[in-house]
Amino acid sequence: MIERERKYRLGAEQVDQLREHLAREGRWVRGGAEGDVFFDHPAIHLQQDDRRLRLRFRDQGGVQELTYKSPREIVGVDKVRRELTAVLVSGPIEELLAELGFKRIRKIVKLREVYVWGNREISLDYLEGAGWFCEIEALETDADIDGLAYELGLTPRQLEARTYSELVDEMADAAPVAAT
């Protein structure tokens, strides 16, 4: 599957307004905590090549998703990349990856509300330390992200090109070092 999406940074004052708009015009899909664990392998160097191997879990249902993401391309303002996802109902996936030599490199936990509006999926995300974001993903190749962003009041100034993984890395790099 080819993923085409873009992310907007939100001010806290926009969140309730967006939520109301999405509840009125879109269809609620799910909400709750979502965790992403990223892996790399010393012989493959996924991160170095802008590739990702991610294990995603939600706080409900017990379903896990293992996703490979190809290097991203920027097309206009959209991030485009190939994604391959396996949905796994149960099992020690993290231990299996460790046995194969993969190392856990980071874990991200965010609060996420997901809506569908026509042929687009909209997520309102809260990432501790980074704030609120709105992601709009095309569910079909011809989905109009520009029109929906405009209707939601999102502006080009709010575009966020970095991935959540990159934001977390930057926050960790900027964190003050504790005195010993």
Side-chain angles (χ1 to χ4, degrees), residues 50-93:
D50 190 33
R51 298 181 296 158
R52 303 287 183 265
L53 183 62
R54 177 193 72 204
L55 180 62
R56 173 169 284 169
F57 55 92
R58 295 188 180 93
D59 63 355
Q60 53 189 297
V63 173
Q64 301 174 77
E65 296 174 354
L66 185 63
T67 302
Y68 165 77
K69 294 177 170 249
S70 71
R72 71 193 127 174
E73 295 178 41
I74 302 300
V75 178
V77 295
D78 296 340
K79 179 181 67 173
V80 179
R81 64 167 85 206
R82 185 166 181 247
E83 281 191 352
L84 299 169
T85 298
V87 177
L88 309 160
V89 177
S90 66
I93 308 307

Side-chain angles (χ1 to χ4, degrees), residues 8-169:
Y8 294 87
R9 184 175 285 278
L10 301 176
E13 70 284 353
Q14 286 183 284
V15 176
D16 286 337
Q17 179 183 4
L18 267 175
R19 190 179 284 129
E20 288 172 17
H21 198 137
L22 291 168
R24 197 172 48 250
E25 302 291 336
R27 178 176 50 85
W28 167 265
V29 176
R30 69 178 177 280
E34 193 171 272
D36 293 337
V37 180
F38 292 88
F39 299 89
D40 207 340
H41 194 284
I44 301 173
H45 308 291
L46 295 169
Q47 296 289 118
Q48 183 179 322
D49 296 335
D50 190 33
R51 298 181 296 158
R52 303 287 183 265
L53 183 62
R54 177 193 72 204
L55 180 62
R56 173 169 284 169
F57 55 92
R58 295 188 180 93
D59 63 355
Q60 53 189 297
V63 173
Q64 301 174 77
E65 296 174 354
L66 185 63
T67 302
Y68 165 77
K69 294 177 170 249
S70 71
R72 71 193 127 174
E73 295 178 41
I74 302 300
V75 178
V77 295
D78 296 340
K79 179 181 67 173
V80 179
R81 64 167 85 206
R82 185 166 181 247
E83 281 191 352
L84 299 169
T85 298
V87 177
L88 309 160
V89 177
S90 66
I93 308 307
E94 213 170 325
E95 292 83 355
L96 186 148
L97 291 170
E99 285 294 319
L100 294 171
F102 286 89
K103 308 284 186 224
R104 177 192 257 216
I105 56 172
R106 92 185 42 78
K107 180 179 180 179
I108 298 169
V109 177
K110 62 186 171 286
L111 298 178
R112 173 168 270 188
E113 301 171 33
V114 180
Y115 301 82
V116 170
W117 187 333
N119 56 3
R120 292 133 322 177
E121 183 177 276
I122 303 99
S123 299
L124 292 179
D125 296 334
Y126 180 76
L127 184 64
E128 184 70 39
W132 284 96
F133 298 88
C134 178
E135 280 190 351
I136 303 174
E137 181 175 345
L139 297 176
E140 297 173 1
T141 55
D142 62 343
D144 178 17
I145 294 178
D146 289 324
L148 180 58
Y150 179 80
E151 188 166 340
L152 293 174
L154 302 169
T155 67
R157 282 191 342 258
Q158 293 174 274
L159 282 168
E160 176 57 69
R162 296 169 291 183
T163 66
Y164 290 131
S165 188
E166 291 167 336
L167 288 167
V168 167
D169 284 350

